[in-house]
Amino acid sequence: QVQLVESGGGVVQPGGSLRLACATSGFTFTAFGMHWVRQAPGKGLEWVAFIRYDGHDKFYADSVKGRFTISRDISNDTLFLQMDSLRPEDTAMYFCAKNRDFWTGFSINYWGQGTLVTVSS
Amino acid sequence: DVVMTQSPLSLPVTPGEPASISCRSSQSLLHSSGYNFLDWYLQKPGQSPQVLIYLGSNRASGVPDRFSGSGSGTDFTLKISRVEPDDVGVYYCMQALQTPITFGQGTRLDIK
């Protein structure tokens, strides 16, 4: 079955960096796009970034553009989110999510359990 | 950006009774394929979201047939025919048509 396991969260000071990882299994990693979605404490869901199945196209929310970088390692079936110049408003649970398929746009069919990022001095 | 607007934001329901959530988008979600790129997710307390409905009206695998999605273009509805205690949580609609992907504010369903 599909499994998405995030790691790398923690407490970081404003202006700092953090790299999140999402280990995947149970599907052909190179055949599906992947997302990062976040949720600030007590708030709703906010999409962060998407990478196409082949890694050639990447899309970002305006709130993170230029600071976050999504990437994938096909040798280890792992998704990454490099987060630089972190701000207090980046504090959130970060979810890794699998795109359903090419034919349903950016629809998500599986979510990980999330990793918590706290940006605070 | 496509703005997604849900109503109501809070929905107290008696077990066994029906429930309905509305989701409106600021732009049409009807794709040239003929499908509406609108999903519904449920986030149960303390859990990550789970998909209920995709392409506007397709139930995801394992989702009870008490849940149904309808609508087209800019107006969509999620219906629960008979609410059960396990349905408690926050329901989100999401447009999957274009980036930035956007979610509704969420509708919190709880049991009366």
Side-chain angles (χ1 to χ4, degrees):
Chain A
Q1 71 280 23
V2 172
Q3 289 197 328
L4 307 172
V5 180
E6 301 93 336
S7 61
V11 180
V12 61
Q13 291 189 340
S17 297
L18 216 51
R19 190 192 197 203
L20 306 184
C22 172
T24 75
S25 61
F27 66 100
T28 303
F29 184 63
T30 53
F32 295 92
M34 297 292 295
H35 301 261
W36 286 100
V37 178
R38 68 184 180 184
Q39 186 171 37
K43 301 298 184 182
L45 300 169
E46 179 190 16
W47 172 79
V48 173
F50 173 80
I51 185 169
R52 286 206 188 276
Y53 66 96
D54 57 8
H56 287 170
D57 290 317
K58 305 174 184 181
F59 304 91
Y60 299 93
D62 284 347
S63 57
V64 307
K65 201 172 295 182
R67 300 188 299 122
F68 289 12
T69 303
I70 189 171
S71 63
R72 58 198 303 162
D73 178 357
I74 61 173
S75 62
N76 289 302
D77 292 350
T78 301
L79 177 72
F80 296 101
L81 186 68
Q82 177 67 41
M83 303 187 297
D84 298 319
S85 303
L86 282 161
R87 305 166 180 169
E89 55 265 35
D90 295 318
T91 294
M93 182 72 77
Y94 283 74
F95 298 102
C96 161
K98 173 186 168 293
N99 207 59
R100 179 174 297 279
D101 56 46
F102 176 82
W103 309 108
T104 55
F106 298 98
S107 180
I108 292 171
N109 61 349
Y110 289 97
W111 300 70
Q113 289 304 303
T115 186
L116 183 61
V117 172
T118 303
V119 184
S120 174
S121 54
Chain B
D1 298 2
V2 180
V3 178
M4 306 297 290
T5 304
Q6 289 182 230
S7 63
L9 299 185
S10 178
L11 186 56
V13 184
T14 301
E17 293 296 305
S20 179
I21 301 171
S22 171
C23 177
R24 289 187 172 178
S25 58
S26 61
Q27 301 173 31
S28 176
L29 302 183
L30 182 61
H31 187 258
S32 55
S33 63
Y35 293 101
N36 288 279
F37 282 18
L38 185 283
D39 294 350
W40 288 98
Y41 300 90
L42 165 60
Q43 187 173 30
K44 296 182 179 181
Q47 297 185 19
S48 56
Q50 59 189 82
V51 62
L52 297 173
I53 302 289
Y54 64 98
L55 294 179
S57 59
N58 292 272
R59 257 191 314 277
S61 176
V63 175
D65 60 8
R66 302 182 290 107
F67 291 90
S68 64
S70 63
S72 184
T74 61
D75 290 331
F76 299 90
T77 303
L78 176 71
K79 292 183 179 178
I80 310 173
S81 59
R82 297 173 308 280
V83 171
E84 295 185 0
D86 190 51
D87 298 337
V88 164
V90 181
Y91 291 78
Y92 295 94
C93 60
M94 183 197 89
Q95 66 84 10
L97 184 64
Q98 64 186 61
T99 61
I101 294 155
T102 46
F103 293 87
Q105 316 96 300
T107 295
R108 184 174 300 277
L109 185 149
D110 55 33
I111 298 297
K112 280 184 183 176

